[in-house]
Amino acid sequence: MISRFVRTAGLLLALAVCASSAWAQQRQVTGRVMSATGEALPGASVLVEGTALGTQANADGRFAIMVPSGQVVLVVQNIGYRTQRVVVAPGESSVDVRLEVDVLALDEIVVTGQATSVSRRNLANAVATVNAAELERVPSETIEKMVQGKVAGALIETNSGAPGGGVQVRLRGVSTINAESEPLYVVDGVIISNVAIASNANAITSASGGSNASNQDAPVNRVVDINPNDIESIEILKGASAAALYGSRAANGVIIITTKRGRPGEMRVDVTQRVGMFTLSNKLGSRKFETVDEVYAAFLDPEEATAADSAFFENLYGDGTSYDYEEMLAGRNDVSTETAFSLRGGSDATRYFVSGLVKNDEGIIPNTGFQKQSIRLNLDQRVGDRVELGVNANVIHTFAERGLTNNDNSGTSFYMVLPFTPNFVDLRPGPDGTYPENPLERSNPLQTAALLDNDEDVWRLISGANATFDAIRTERHSLRFRVTGGVDYFAQENEIFSPPELEFEDDDGEPGTSLLSNSDNLDLTFQATAVHAYTPASGAFQATTSAGLQYEDRDLNIARIVARNLVAGQRNVDAGTNRIVFETRERVKDLGLFVQEELLALDDRLLLTAGLRADRSSANGDTEKYFLFPKAAASYRFDELPGILDAVKLRTAWGQSGNQPLFGQKFTALDATNNIEGLPGLVVTGVAGDPNIEPERVTEIEGGVDIELFGGRASLEVTGFQKTIDNLLLQRTLAPSTGFGLQVFNGGEMRVRGLELGLQAVPVQNEDVMWVSRTTFYADRSEITDLPVPAFETGGFGTSLGAFRIEQGKSATQIVTNLGIDPETGEVIVGPVGDAVPDFRMGFVNDLTFGPFNLYTLVDWAHGHTVVNLTQFLADAGKNSADFDTDVRPITLPDGKVVQAGTGERRLIRWSDFADSRPYMEDGSYVKVREVSLSYALPDGFLDRVFGGALRSARITASGRNLLTFTGYSGLDPEVSNFGNQPIARNIDVAPFPPSRSFWLSFDVSF
């Protein structure tokens, strides 16, 4: 140990001597960094090309840097501006630099490892970046919706229209069958939780049976808590070749969120006030009954109906008045508001960013909505010229009212009841506010919406601290150490109160239900890195070596209480005479070690990268075993090309990442809800764990070309990739003699191939007009290449209603269903009917600035995917679909009988008499106008006259989200997933929360 210390000290001393010698031959160069309009750019970086020397501009944009005595080249960079290289002659001591806006972000700095970054011009992977300007166009409760349609390779869809989110993100296709399917989220170096905790509405709906929480409870994924106004940029590492250094949690990609920070200079205050509303954007419609005879024909069997039955329906029909219950249920358009502010400023030593948010989105259904309050402090402090400290603290409170939607087996969910309730039935409340009972169903949806509470209350703290030490900083060497620690803690409370007076509550003899779930989640992150950069005297290359370790501790505890038969209708769970308690506890500890080498050579045209991550986790069977995830990448840039070409970059990358087993898959679970003669007992659940369980492994190779054209006015990015997922987490059937039905194990293989295109251009750019256009294209195809178990179905409700089948040689997201009856065998034929993944997806962004006006539009196009439309099936089964009796035609039944049937009835006959479910497997292609905004910047002269120079700027914006949808899909919305954020079983439409569009008027001012 002593000898090692002596050697290390000697090395540092030698480097220090070299440094002193080098500094003796240097001179000082001063200058100022400004924008093209002459505005100072504080924080701009100034580097000496071919060396490890660098500095930053101060609050006035001024800088001073020591450079070698001869001629040097300064590389000047600033976020949002084009990089500029400035030649400084041997006798020159002062330079001023003006940077042009980087409209197409060709020179932006992109993360390449845990602690390193590189200019996009040299990047070897297709990493997508979304900046603050693109996120702030149209308000939304969650950042995922703000990224929809803007990133090639990202399939982002909402699970339903419920307030508070519920979004599924899939990067570069499906990556698993039974493991985690969401990307890893990192905020300012802190890994945060995006867990979706179900509300336990299943105890009322019985969607999946029993009282346990279900993935059909429409849970909210917790990224919704982040304040989008705080975000500076989002970087999306879409594949394993880019995300390998995040190891066994990066198989689904990594989303790196960087929040805004202070800048040297005068304090800037930004305030935004938004006022808007949400409105119902689509309806299913319902059948119109013109006469009471049509009612008799629909709901009465002429051979069995009695006079009392006829009188019953005649009384219900009354004078034939019809009611638009979709409008009554979801036609609310109360005012929504959002107030956001931020303070940003500081000195060269101390920088701060403070922000706050108060948001209230009113839902379109009574007793629904979403509220968010957030406050953030980002503080950076330099201590001397070698140490920098940083602190981030974000306290968030969200409150979501979710209503009661999605599948149920109890006749309680809104859109499960409406299909079986003809529009002539009067469900409106009486003068005293009392709701009538629904004579045809177990519940009155208007009553349920008015009286049932389904609330989710979350308090969250995301905080981190970091320290950076520049140990060595010479012309040839730099060595930086960085330590980061972070905590993500949230307490989530779900309360559902179904009062005794609800119609369905008395059916079980236990009127009134109160559900309480308390969840606590604590994620701890610690990371230590060292980054060494070396540039030889020749300046031929720059080598950057980084190494470090990362530790995570994730602890989730969920306790649920179900109370029925509430005494005096009290909502406390202790007021129920029948109480059931559940608890789930999960804790996982991870340790990762990583190293990476980057080599930039040949006048910054060639980039070579290699890295390795070693991970171990308590979720694995062997908690001490390290799993290795390597990566390698290369890019070469051809500059100064003839004609319209500015540059062409060829790139390729290869890498591996993993997907950890879900918590507990290595154990055989025990169920403590049983009793033996009144005594508590534990029994096994029937699924055996695997003590040797390992992470799934994704191996990806990508290649592409990036082209810059027309003097930086256009760029094209083309990427093709193939990823192979092996060691899949599967289940196999065990012999009955083992006492278990299934066992989790590793096996099998899946492959995904895809193509990504990104085209961006500035067709018009002058003093008065700037038009920026961006187009993205994405397509992928998956295939199960090896399956060591027989083909099986996952998700869905059986082949008669559409199911997802995992089968060797077929797509991992294929949908199979009943196709009819084999005339020879009389058996039902089951086969593929479509795929949940679109054939392709495109996004079209146009950003037009003309004088003080700006017009922004985003159009999102998904083509060629299948949706299982069981909401339509329910409406047909209730003989209540809008087209049930339209376009009446003859249809011959299997027994030869010919009947006259309308469109909806023919669908139902195909399903019931012919065992053909294809009428309910629909093309879900759509084109959505995702975002539109029109803004006007008030002239500076006007602001000076009215406010006396107190305002820097002011802007008025009118905007909207999801304004138009063009689709042939007959359901409420083709963007739907009854089972929430599942790896495979998506695109199932069962009575979802209806979609909405939003309109906003915003006022932005800066002081």
Side-chain angles (χ1 to χ4, degrees):
M1 179 64 70
I2 295 177
S3 62
R4 182 183 303 171
F5 174 79
V6 172
R7 288 197 304 271
T8 303
L11 175 60
L12 292 175
L13 179 62
L15 289 173
V17 171
C18 293
S20 300
S21 175
W23 277 93
Q25 303 173 34
Q26 290 184 340
R27 59 194 173 96
Q28 186 181 67
V29 172
T30 62
R32 192 176 187 213
V33 183
M34 298 169 286
S35 68
T37 58
E39 181 182 1
L41 296 178
S45 67
V46 182
L47 308 174
V48 181
E49 189 172 63
T51 75
L53 300 174
T55 189
Q56 284 188 329
N58 67 11
D60 297 322
R62 301 187 183 280
F63 67 90
I65 187 171
M66 300 301 296
V67 303
S69 56
Q71 177 175 294
V72 296
V73 177
L74 298 183
V75 180
V76 185
Q77 299 173 317
N78 195 54
I79 296 174
Y81 291 85
R82 299 288 299 270
T83 299
Q84 186 170 334
R85 285 170 167 77
V86 181
V87 177
V88 182
E92 195 172 4
S93 62
S94 178
V95 293
D96 285 342
V97 184
R98 290 180 180 264
L99 301 183
E100 296 181 358
V101 174
D102 187 9
V103 178
L104 301 183
L106 300 176
D107 283 333
E108 69 180 341
I109 304 301
V110 179
V111 170
T112 59
Q114 291 274 17
T116 58
S117 58
V118 71
S119 170
R120 181 171 291 278
R121 290 183 178 275
N122 303 109
L123 192 63
N125 293 92
V127 176
T129 303
V130 182
N131 59 37
E134 294 175 89
L135 293 172
E136 296 171 354
R137 299 291 186 172
V138 183
S140 174
E141 72 274 26
T142 179
I143 59 175
E144 299 113 319
K145 292 183 181 179
M146 293 181 166
V147 177
Q148 276 182 305
K150 299 174 184 177
V151 175
L155 181 61
I156 303 173
E157 294 185 313
T158 56
N159 296 333
S160 73
V167 182
Q168 49 196 20
V169 178
R170 178 181 286 164
L171 301 178
R172 287 191 172 174
V174 62
S175 294
T176 186
I177 297 173
N178 292 312
E180 176 61 53
S181 61
E182 277 287 286
L184 181 68
Y185 287 83
V186 182
V187 178
D188 293 330
V190 178
I191 297 175
I192 67 168
S193 173
N194 190 36
V195 63
I197 301 174
S199 65
N200 203 19
N202 182 67
I204 293 175
T205 64
S206 298
S208 60
S211 296
N212 286 312
S214 164
N215 56 16
Q216 297 187 63
D217 288 353
V220 178
N221 44 317
R222 292 266 56 93
V223 169
V224 72
D225 298 330
I226 305 299
N227 178 9
N229 300 291
D230 287 348
I231 296 175
E232 185 74 48
S233 67
I234 298 176
E235 295 182 47
I236 302 176
L237 310 183
K238 293 176 283 189
S241 57
L245 289 193
Y246 286 89
S248 61
R249 297 188 64 197
N252 303 301
V254 180
I255 297 180
I256 301 172
I257 299 173
T258 302
T259 62
K260 297 173 181 176
R261 311 201 72 80
R263 296 174 183 171
E266 188 178 78
M267 182 177 71
R268 177 185 178 118
V269 181
D270 295 301
V271 178
T272 298
Q273 179 62 57
R274 295 187 173 107
V275 180
M277 67 174 60
F278 293 79
T279 64
L280 179 64
S281 62
N282 193 24
K283 299 178 184 178
L284 293 172
S286 61
R287 182 178 179 181
K288 290 181 171 52
F289 294 88
E290 302 295 342
T291 67
V292 71
D293 290 334
E294 292 181 11
V295 177
Y296 295 155
F299 299 105
L300 292 178
D301 186 336
E303 297 181 359
E304 298 182 4
T306 65
D309 294 333
S310 300
F312 171 78
F313 277 99
E314 182 178 6
N315 182 59
L316 280 182
Y317 184 73
D319 61 1
T321 300
S322 62
Y323 305 96
D324 186 347
Y325 285 118
E326 288 184 274
E327 184 66 30
M328 292 182 185
L329 178 69
R332 191 173 71 150
N333 52 10
D334 291 357
V335 174
S336 299
T337 60
E338 179 178 321
T339 303
F341 75 89
S342 66
L343 312 175
R344 172 185 279 187
S347 63
D348 295 337
T350 305
R351 305 188 307 277
Y352 59 86
F353 174 81
V354 179
S355 72
L357 172 73
V358 178
K359 182 179 181 65
N360 179 36
D361 289 348
E362 295 288 350
I364 59 176
I365 294 177
N367 266 344
T368 67
F370 178 74
Q371 300 174 32
K372 181 190 295 185
Q373 301 90 43
S374 171
I375 188 166
R376 169 181 290 276
L377 170 64
N378 289 350
L379 183 64
D380 297 288
Q381 176 68 50
R382 291 203 66 87
V383 181
D385 64 346
R386 292 181 178 270
V387 177
E388 183 164 357
L389 306 177
V391 175
N392 313 308
N394 188 197
V395 178
I396 312 154
H397 174 241
T398 61
F399 182 74
E401 300 170 285
R402 304 285 287 175
L404 195 65
T405 54
N406 255 15
N407 177 47
D408 80 50
N409 289 306
S410 61
T412 54
S413 176
F414 306 145
Y415 276 82
M416 289 289 288
V417 176
L418 288 179
F420 297 93
T421 306
N423 59 20
F424 55 77
V425 178
D426 190 355
L427 299 178
R428 298 174 301 167
D432 62 350
T434 302
Y435 288 86
E437 290 191 353
N438 186 341
L440 301 179
E441 276 293 308
R442 289 189 65 221
S443 67
N444 180 337
L446 301 184
Q447 181 195 40
T448 304
L451 302 183
L452 183 140
D453 294 329
N454 182 359
D455 301 335
E456 182 170 286
D457 198 349
V458 177
W459 282 94
R460 188 169 191 172
L461 169 67
I462 301 175
S463 183
N466 60 78
T468 303
F469 172 53
D470 290 323
I472 300 174
R473 192 169 56 201
T474 71
E475 181 179 344
R476 301 300 164 207
H477 293 272
S478 70
L479 177 61
R480 170 174 290 188
F481 297 99
R482 183 180 178 89
V483 176
T484 301
V487 57
D488 175 21
Y489 171 78
F490 68 80
Q492 175 176 323
E493 181 181 81
N494 290 90
E495 286 187 285
I496 302 179
F497 175 58
S498 179
E501 56 265 37
L502 286 179
E503 179 183 343
F504 61 83
E505 271 297 338
D506 197 35
D507 290 357
D508 59 1
E510 296 181 313
T513 304
S514 185
L515 310 175
L516 176 63
S517 299
N518 282 302
S519 306
D520 295 284
N521 186 85
L522 177 63
D523 285 12
L524 301 175
T525 304
F526 173 80
Q527 180 173 306
T529 59
V531 180
H532 176 259
Y534 168 69
T535 304
S538 64
F541 64 87
Q542 179 176 340
T544 303
T545 305
S546 59
L549 64 86
Q550 188 174 62
Y551 173 78
E552 300 170 58
D553 188 338
R554 311 192 301 276
D555 192 352
L556 174 64
N557 184 16
I558 305 172
R560 306 184 188 276
I561 303 174
V562 179
R564 293 188 171 92
N565 194 27
L566 303 179
V567 177
Q570 295 297 305
R571 63 188 306 154
N572 289 0
V573 291
D574 61 357
T577 63
N578 180 5
R579 295 191 292 268
I580 306 173
V581 179
F582 306 90
E583 184 175 16
T584 299
R585 303 196 66 179
E586 301 178 2
R587 189 173 187 185
V588 178
K589 296 182 180 181
D590 302 327
L591 177 63
L593 309 173
F594 58 88
V595 62
Q596 178 174 275
E597 181 70 32
E598 289 182 341
L599 185 68
L600 189 60
L602 301 181
D603 295 328
D604 292 351
R605 294 194 302 271
L606 174 67
L607 176 68
L608 301 174
T609 303
L612 180 67
R613 168 93 177 211
D615 267 7
R616 73 181 190 189
S617 172
S618 63
N620 300 329
D622 185 346
T623 60
E624 300 300 319
K625 180 179 179 180
Y626 281 92
F627 294 87
L628 303 181
F629 303 99
K631 63 173 286 188
S635 70
Y636 187 83
R637 180 182 175 87
F638 299 89
D639 290 319
E640 301 177 359
L641 300 176
I644 63 173
L645 295 177
D646 302 330
V648 174
K649 181 180 66 178
L650 303 179
R651 51 185 168 78
T652 186
W654 174 91
Q656 294 184 332
S657 61
N659 203 359
Q660 289 181 359
L662 297 180
F663 177 84
Q665 286 186 326
K666 67 178 182 179
F667 300 119
T668 299
L670 298 176
D671 188 349
T673 61
N674 294 275
N675 65 79
I676 304 172
E677 296 182 355
L679 299 175
L682 295 174
V683 297
V684 295
T685 61
V687 178
D690 182 357
N692 300 311
I693 203 78
E694 296 182 352
E696 297 178 334
R697 181 175 294 271
V698 177
T699 303
E700 181 184 73
I701 184 169
E702 73 169 55
V705 56
D706 299 341
I707 304 173
E708 295 179 26
L709 309 96
F710 304 112
R713 295 279 292 272
S715 68
L716 173 65
E717 181 180 288
V718 181
T719 304
F721 70 88
Q722 174 177 295
K723 63 180 183 180
T724 302
I725 307 97
D726 58 15
N727 225 26
L728 289 169
L729 290 164
L730 300 173
Q731 290 185 342
R732 58 188 167 204
T733 303
L734 297 178
S737 59
T738 64
F740 297 94
L742 300 170
Q743 183 184 33
V744 178
F745 76 107
N746 290 105
E749 183 180 276
M750 175 169 56
R751 183 184 66 215
V752 181
R753 291 171 174 165
L755 177 66
E756 302 167 358
L757 303 176
L759 173 64
Q760 52 182 353
V762 186
V764 180
Q765 184 178 14
N766 55 49
E767 293 183 358
D768 300 316
V769 180
M770 177 176 287
W771 174 21
V772 180
S773 179
R774 297 184 176 90
T775 301
T776 59
F777 172 91
Y778 172 68
D780 75 71
R781 302 289 183 270
S782 66
E783 181 182 346
I784 303 294
T785 54
D786 179 34
L787 191 65
V789 296
F792 61 93
E793 294 165 12
T794 177
F797 300 96
T799 58
S800 67
L801 296 175
F804 290 79
R805 173 171 290 176
I806 304 300
E807 183 178 0
Q808 186 163 326
K810 302 294 180 65
S811 166
T813 50
Q814 70 164 338
I815 300 174
V816 299
T817 194
N818 292 353
L819 304 179
I821 299 174
D822 189 320
E824 296 183 1
T825 65
E827 296 180 353
V828 175
I829 303 171
V830 177
V833 71
D835 201 284
V837 172
D839 292 339
F840 65 82
R841 186 158 193 165
M842 296 188 71
F844 306 91
V845 171
N846 284 280
D847 189 357
L848 179 63
T849 301
F850 45 103
F853 293 94
N854 176 265
L855 176 64
Y856 177 90
T857 62
L858 166 62
V859 177
D860 191 8
W861 178 17
H863 177 77
H865 60 286
T866 299
V867 179
V868 180
N869 189 355
L870 300 186
T871 304
Q872 180 70 72
F873 168 75
L874 293 171
D876 288 347
K879 302 181 180 180
N880 203 25
S881 49
D883 61 352
F884 191 83
D885 58 348
T886 63
D887 189 24
V888 177
R889 299 178 185 178
I891 181 172
T892 304
L893 302 181
D895 61 4
K897 182 179 178 181
V898 178
V899 298
Q900 300 292 322
T903 302
E905 188 174 7
R906 289 197 301 273
R907 286 194 299 264
L908 192 62
I909 289 173
R910 294 298 308 174
W911 178 83
S912 61
D913 291 47
F914 292 87
D916 186 353
S917 304
R918 283 174 290 186
Y920 300 111
M921 310 295 123
E922 293 191 39
D923 180 9
S925 301
Y926 62 81
V927 175
K928 287 194 175 188
V929 181
R930 289 279 185 199
E931 298 178 0
V932 175
S933 71
L934 176 63
S935 65
Y936 173 71
L938 277 64
D940 293 340
F942 172 80
L943 297 179
D944 291 339
R945 289 194 304 271
V946 176
F947 299 99
L951 294 184
R952 295 172 181 260
S953 63
R955 181 177 294 273
I956 302 174
T957 305
S959 61
R961 181 175 296 277
N962 293 329
L963 296 184
L964 296 170
T965 300
F966 304 93
T967 181
Y969 182 67
S970 66
L972 285 168
D973 192 348
E975 201 178 328
V976 65
S977 178
N978 178 79
F979 285 89
N981 205 341
Q982 298 295 298
I984 302 294
R986 303 182 178 185
N987 294 26
I988 298 178
D989 182 344
V990 190
F993 196 107
S996 63
R997 57 173 64 94
S998 62
F999 303 88
W1000 296 92
L1001 183 63
S1002 305
F1003 303 90
D1004 300 272
V1005 294
S1006 295
F1007 297 90

